[in-house]
Amino acid sequence: MAEKAEFKDQHLEHWESHRALHKAINRIADHYLPLILELGRRPLTLDELEDFTRRQRILYGRDWESGRRRRVTLEGFLERTTDAGIIERSGQTYRLTPAGGELERHVAAAVPYFVDKFLSPRGAARATIIVHVLLSAVKLFIGFLSGSAGLISDGIDNTGDTLAAVLVALGIRYDKQRLTSIFIIVLMFVSVVGVGWAAWGKIAAPEPVELPWLTLAVSLAAGLLMLVVSAYQYFVGMRHGNFALICQAVDSRNHFLTSLLVAGGVGLSMLSRAWDAAWLVYADAGASVIIGFLIARSAFELIGELRSSGGEDGAGVRHFLGRGMGKWLATLTERFIRYALAAGPRSPAELQDELRSFISEWRPRFHAMIDFGRGFIESAPALVPERLEALRERGTVVRGDDGAYTLSDDH
């Protein structure tokens, strides 16, 4: 709470208001905020600033102005911040002005607060509870109002997930992740029973879905929201090695898929009226049955992973964000290879050692604050051999007779 007071109630001497301060922060390209924090440590020369931004590019790629998609060079950043009275030049070094120091202290206090609030297991658990309570109420209300078995099934599953989210929060608080994971899996099987009940009710009394457009809109909106929640849960779970959160991420991913099934069932129900094809009404029940199978399959998948890993991490759990992070790591590794080979030939072993040192030794303030890359970036050195081969096949690098690699003449 002290950090919260520090950046929200910070006494300003060199800015006319917090609004003016926030406006100045928003004008700084996101890529350069870590550089502001580095200048808070000590003045930096232009060479040091250029080296810092080169290293940043290895991690992030291009330097883009957030929201404007316009390239911002280091020179442009220095010119803007100098004109704004944030940075000043003294000889060959750049330092923060008194106003820049206040801005840096604000950012330095705000970042850890928001990381703890939103990228911690407790923060993720709180956000998950809120989302599930909201979606459970909306889905069940619209589901019963419209008579959609698929939406009712999804709502039942969401209700179970609400209880699971509460259990996860308690498990995090009392350090009972494994027990919490088991409860979540049990609740997934309980949800299968509820889904089966909703499907049977639709089969026994088939009727077209009422309020189809509203039901369709609710299903699609809920699906997109759960896709975002799933990525968020998986990222935080992997970052902290919290298997219970990863279980939730898998279940949330299923909600995205089931929302598409519900939408498909509603769409076919609408066609049953338009085409006078009564049998299409059963598509809604079919969607409900498929939802039950998806939930059960994921539960068995998590049981296997829980047994093999002991519930300590979720490295073996399949998730779309895991594949995305794999692609990001491959791209990061290739950028580092190009960066290192620009200085001269390197063997695969030398590149691995240099990348390992880069990851472990280069710790800018900003990355230390957010614990950047924890849980996945450490595996990048192992990708060096395969990424070298990929770059060689594309003609980016060439291999010498001594086994060392160099950049090709075209690169």
Side-chain angles (χ1 to χ4, degrees), residues 57-330:
R57 274 188 212 103
I58 293 174
L59 297 176
Y60 300 126
R62 295 179 177 178
D63 316 333
W64 295 101
E65 178 93 36
S66 178
R68 298 178 187 176
R69 309 304 294 170
R70 185 164 65 84
R71 188 71 178 266
V72 178
T73 63
L74 175 61
E75 291 75 14
F77 160 76
L78 292 173
E79 182 180 350
R80 287 188 185 186
T81 49
T82 299
D83 291 343
I86 297 171
I87 291 177
E88 62 183 1
R89 180 175 178 176
S90 177
Q92 297 300 313
T93 62
Y94 290 84
R95 68 180 76 245
L96 295 176
T97 64
E102 282 189 344
L103 184 147
E104 179 272 332
R105 287 191 293 276
H106 185 89
V107 174
V111 170
Y113 170 76
F114 284 106
V115 167
D116 181 66
K117 193 173 183 65
F118 297 107
L119 295 183
S120 67
R122 287 191 179 187
R126 285 193 298 266
T128 300
I129 291 172
I130 294 171
V131 170
H132 279 308
V133 168
L134 175 64
L135 289 182
S136 298
V138 172
K139 286 180 180 179
L140 289 175
F141 177 74
I142 301 298
F144 282 111
L145 193 65
S146 64
S148 170
L151 195 59
I152 293 172
S153 298
D154 207 9
I156 290 172
D157 194 19
N158 259 128
T159 302
D161 290 339
T162 303
L163 179 57
V166 174
L167 290 174
V168 168
L170 293 174
I172 291 169
R173 181 172 183 178
Y174 296 108
D175 196 21
K176 299 291 183 182
Q177 294 181 37
R178 184 176 177 82
L179 183 61
T180 302
S181 301
I182 294 172
F183 274 122
I184 291 174
I185 294 170
V186 170
L187 284 172
M188 291 172 76
F189 284 114
V190 172
S191 295
V192 172
V193 176
V195 168
W197 167 78
W200 174 251
K202 192 70 174 184
I203 294 171
E207 292 290 340
V209 173
E210 301 294 334
L211 306 173
W213 289 109
L214 178 60
T215 305
L216 187 67
V218 169
S219 299
L220 293 176
L224 290 174
L225 178 59
M226 291 311 299
L227 188 65
V228 174
V229 170
S230 178
Y232 171 52
Q233 291 168 329
Y234 184 82
F235 178 79
V236 176
M238 288 295 292
R239 189 171 182 266
H240 293 274
N242 190 297
F243 189 76
L245 269 178
I246 295 169
C247 287
Q248 280 195 306
V250 172
D251 201 28
S252 297
R253 175 202 63 189
N254 288 343
H255 276 296
F256 167 69
L257 299 175
T258 55
S259 292
L260 297 183
L261 283 172
V262 172
V266 172
L268 291 175
S269 178
M270 294 166 67
L271 291 176
S272 72
R273 286 179 169 174
W275 295 349
D276 195 23
W279 60 274
L280 284 176
V281 173
Y282 290 101
D284 185 38
S288 184
V289 171
I290 295 173
I291 289 171
F293 278 116
L294 284 174
I295 298 169
R297 188 189 71 174
S298 293
F300 283 115
E301 176 185 317
L302 292 174
I303 288 173
E305 180 60 26
L306 185 63
R307 292 178 61 185
S308 63
S309 69
E312 296 177 358
D313 57 57
V317 176
R318 291 175 292 173
H319 193 275
F320 67 91
L321 188 63
R323 293 191 294 273
M325 294 311 300
K327 292 179 181 178
W328 176 81
L329 274 180

